[in-house]
Amino acid sequence: MQRRKVTFKLYPNAAQSARLEAWTRLHCELYNAALEERIDAWRKAKKSISYYEQQNALPAIKADRPEFVELGSHALQQTLRRLDLAFAAFFRRVKAGQTPGFPRFKSAKRFSGFAYPDPAGWKLMGHGGRGATLRLGSGKDALFIRARGQHRFGSESKPNDLTLTRRNGQWFVSVTLRVPEEACARQRKADRCRGVDFGVTDWATFDDGQIIANPRWLREELPKLADLQRQRARKRRGSVRHGRLGQRVARLHDRIANLRRDFVHQETTRMVQQCAVLATEQLAPKNMSRSARSTEQEPGRRVRQKAGLNREILSAAFGMAHQMLAYKAEEAGTRLHLSDTRPLKPSQRCAACWEIVPKTLADRLHVCPHCGHVMPRDQNSALVVLIDANTPGTGVAARPKPLPRQRGKSKSVTRETLATTLCV
């Protein structure tokens, strides 16, 4: 059995929405009380309180506060486990020498929601089609909330756990499904071998010259976004109008994110359905979008231009595309090859003679002074990673002149299934 997570949008009525808000406030209160107990115990007695000690106190809490009873024991335990995970992440960063973030108290508005770690206390009914019904609780006080969403795993999938999230005044539910192996498999329509180069000018360029245009939703919405933010800046902080404009800004960001996610889902699905071998390079968007700002003694250069480039890099969602390609390629039986960028240098290497041809970001045409090979820069990069996919590691077997051996650097990573297809 495989596990897959799907998300539904909830449509509660006014009474149901008020009840969900009340439950969220109670979970937030429990979270803050457990955090305060841990802080006070360490401050006064130098004692560390574990998750199990706080979990054992839940029956007494429900006896004193009957309103916690309808939330369910397992949901309350999951809120305490959420705090325990926050402390575990804090101590892990301290040991690693990173900048730690101590768990903070949360207001009810900033508390995102709550979760059920197992199938107890809820039920998702009729989730095989385009809609579903979510039941929370049991008996005459149970909530039956209409949900909308669709997944491809059919009615044989079994819900395992559930997370309710509140975002921009709307409610969403993420359900982890236990799915049979055969239901996870994707049908491949072709057995092509393709190299792809992700970029900002064009979102994707293939080795045969085909491109996928960059939709640039964020750039199109920037004037509207800037106007809303200017209006919000003129309002008094904490006022009703300031809050309403903040909600409009959040909804616009949410719309852009939904459009981007839908686009990446569709394009990555189309790629794995058409390809038996798909080659691309390993990208590090975090390093690519690093700020150009520096210190007063050594100021950065072209800071505003680099900030605009960083915005476009993050808006293109390269990291999201790689994550989706990884699991979709496994489901479709496609071999996904990720070339190691540093030793291979796909954007600087000639696909015809394998020589290094230095270029700047402004050079969009690859012109090799060694062999005269001329090709668009991104198409040449896609061809280089495709050659590297045929000879995993460095691609030296495909060219007469081998690459210099790189010591201490990782080789290219290939994600593949048992049925591997090579391009010759």
Side-chain angles (χ1 to χ4, degrees):
M1 299 288 285
Q2 296 284 338
R3 296 197 177 206
R4 294 294 183 269
K5 180 166 285 190
V6 296
T7 301
F8 297 88
K9 185 178 180 180
L10 296 180
Y11 292 88
N13 56 34
Q16 293 171 342
S17 181
R19 198 169 172 189
L20 289 176
E21 295 282 353
W23 286 3
T24 303
R25 285 194 296 270
L26 290 175
H27 278 280
C28 180
E29 182 182 351
L30 177 65
Y31 182 95
N32 290 335
L35 175 58
E36 184 179 7
E37 182 185 19
R38 290 195 179 207
I39 293 175
D40 289 344
W42 178 258
R43 187 175 295 166
K44 296 177 180 179
K46 299 298 181 182
K47 178 185 176 182
S48 296
I49 298 181
S50 67
Y51 158 75
Y52 297 100
E53 292 175 306
Q54 293 185 322
Q55 173 189 314
N56 293 335
L58 285 177
I61 293 175
K62 290 189 288 185
D64 294 337
R65 300 282 301 276
E67 60 269 27
F68 279 94
V69 175
E70 65 175 350
L71 301 184
S73 300
H74 293 188
L76 296 175
Q77 292 170 11
Q78 186 65 19
T79 298
L80 295 178
R81 191 175 289 110
R82 176 178 174 179
L83 175 63
D84 189 64
L85 291 175
F87 271 98
F90 167 74
F91 289 118
R92 184 184 68 247
R93 294 189 187 98
V94 171
K95 291 181 181 179
Q98 301 174 352
T99 303
F102 191 80
R104 298 187 300 175
F105 293 99
K106 298 180 182 292
S107 66
K109 292 183 179 180
R110 296 180 64 88
F111 201 76
S112 59
F114 53 95
Y116 293 86
D118 48 47
W122 62 277
K123 186 176 181 180
L124 188 66
M125 299 175 290
H127 58 89
R130 296 189 61 87
T133 301
L134 175 65
R135 190 201 70 194
L136 297 177
S138 59
K140 63 178 182 179
D141 295 330
L143 287 178
F144 290 87
I145 306 175
R146 185 170 60 92
R148 189 185 71 179
Q150 189 177 13
H151 60 80
R152 63 184 183 87
F153 304 114
S155 57
E156 67 270 12
S157 57
K158 304 299 181 183
N160 186 76
D161 58 74
L162 174 141
T163 302
L164 283 106
T165 307
R166 177 184 53 187
R167 187 171 68 244
N168 298 331
Q170 298 176 328
W171 286 93
F172 299 87
V173 56
S174 295
V175 184
T176 302
L177 302 176
R178 289 182 283 116
V179 185
E181 296 280 350
E182 56 273 11
C184 289
R186 294 174 181 267
Q187 187 67 32
R188 205 168 63 217
K189 300 178 181 178
D191 294 325
R192 304 175 64 181
C193 301
R194 310 190 76 180
V196 58
D197 180 77
F198 293 100
V200 173
T201 304
D202 296 309
W203 188 75
T205 304
F206 294 92
D207 59 289
D208 57 359
Q210 180 185 352
I211 64 172
I212 300 176
N214 189 356
R216 300 182 187 272
W217 289 292
L218 180 59
R219 179 184 288 188
E220 292 179 358
E221 298 291 349
L222 275 180
K224 183 178 180 180
L225 187 62
D227 180 60
L228 289 175
Q229 290 174 337
R230 280 193 293 266
Q231 293 182 43
R232 184 169 179 260
R234 290 194 291 266
K235 302 298 183 290
R236 180 172 57 86
R237 184 181 295 271
S239 65
V240 174
R241 292 181 179 180
H242 185 275
R244 287 175 180 172
L245 286 169
Q247 292 176 0
R248 291 180 62 184
V249 171
R251 283 197 296 267
L252 182 57
H253 277 296
D254 198 35
R255 177 178 176 273
I256 295 171
N258 290 337
L259 289 171
R260 181 189 300 119
R261 188 182 304 108
D262 182 66
F263 169 79
V264 177
H265 262 301
Q266 293 186 23
E267 295 301 334
T268 52
T269 299
R270 192 173 294 112
M271 287 181 191
V272 299
Q273 286 179 343
Q274 295 176 353
C275 300
V277 176
L278 186 63
T280 186
E281 62 176 314
Q282 285 180 321
L283 296 176
K286 184 177 180 180
N287 296 336
M288 295 166 61
S289 59
R290 188 173 297 166
S291 174
R293 294 181 183 273
S294 187
T295 61
E296 294 183 0
Q297 293 78 13
E298 298 180 0
R301 297 185 303 170
R302 303 177 67 110
V303 177
R304 290 174 63 91
Q305 290 85 346
K306 185 61 169 66
L309 177 60
N310 292 346
R311 183 177 61 242
E312 294 295 328
I313 291 173
L314 296 176
S315 179
F318 302 141
M320 183 189 300
H322 278 200
Q323 291 175 1
M324 291 183 183
L325 284 174
Y327 77 83
K328 291 180 182 181
E330 183 178 356
E331 293 175 349
T334 298
R335 182 166 72 95
L336 177 63
H337 178 83
L338 301 177
S339 297
D340 194 358
T341 303
R342 289 192 175 182
L344 187 63
K345 297 180 175 58
S347 60
Q348 309 292 330
R349 191 171 298 280
C350 179
C353 67
W354 218 242
E355 294 287 345
I356 294 293
V357 182
K359 292 184 285 290
T360 64
L361 288 178
D363 299 328
R364 306 312 304 170
L365 187 66
H366 170 80
V367 180
C368 181
H370 305 283
C371 66
H373 179 61
V374 179
M375 182 178 284
R377 173 195 179 121
D378 295 338
Q379 183 182 355
N380 178 79
S381 300
L383 190 56
V384 169
V385 295
L386 180 59
I387 294 172
D388 184 62
N390 291 331
T391 54
T394 57
V396 297
R399 294 295 158 220
K401 184 177 180 180
L403 291 173
R405 184 169 182 80
Q406 304 287 337
R407 295 190 177 183
K409 295 184 178 180
S410 61
K411 293 185 178 181
S412 301
V413 179
T414 302
R415 301 178 185 268
E416 55 185 334
T417 57
L418 294 178
T420 301
T421 305
L422 292 178
C423 297
V424 292

